[in-house]
């Protein structure tokens, strides 16, 4: 599901903002999902990994 969201955002030139709650991802057996998603984003090229604050500042500075 996360990868499809990432691909959709990339296709549309949009923002992919991942929110992961500990009760969903907070298990050793699931951390590979996040690792793979990061690898996929890097392989797509052009990915920027910013904090929420950095994203907010970018949006404020790039209003049409």
């Amino acid at each position: 599901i996360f990868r499809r969201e990432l691909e959709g955002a990339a296709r549309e030139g949009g923002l992919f903002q991942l929110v992961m709650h500990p009760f969903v991802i907070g298990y050793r057996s699931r951390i590979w999902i996040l690792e793979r998603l990061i690898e996929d984003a890097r392989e797509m090229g052009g990915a920027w990994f910013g904090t929420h604050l950095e994203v907010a500042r970018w949006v404020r500075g790039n209003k049409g």
Side-chain angles (χ1 to χ4, degrees):
I1 294 169
F2 297 139
R3 184 159 204 259
R4 288 184 179 167
E5 288 287 331
L6 172 64
E7 290 170 344
R11 244 189 336 270
E12 296 172 3
L15 172 69
F16 175 74
Q17 189 171 8
L18 182 63
V19 176
M20 302 184 92
H21 297 284
F23 66 87
V24 174
I25 197 68
Y27 298 92
R28 288 183 292 274
S29 62
R30 297 181 186 172
I31 198 65
W32 70 270
I33 296 168
L34 179 56
E35 292 170 342
R36 179 63 190 268
L37 190 62
I38 291 169
E39 289 172 9
D40 291 346
R42 286 186 173 146
E43 288 174 8
M44 292 174 133
W48 169 52
F49 296 87
T51 65
H52 286 216
L53 178 60
E54 291 168 335
V55 171
R57 284 182 176 156
W58 185 89
V59 169
R60 283 186 177 168
N62 291 284
K63 289 184 180 179

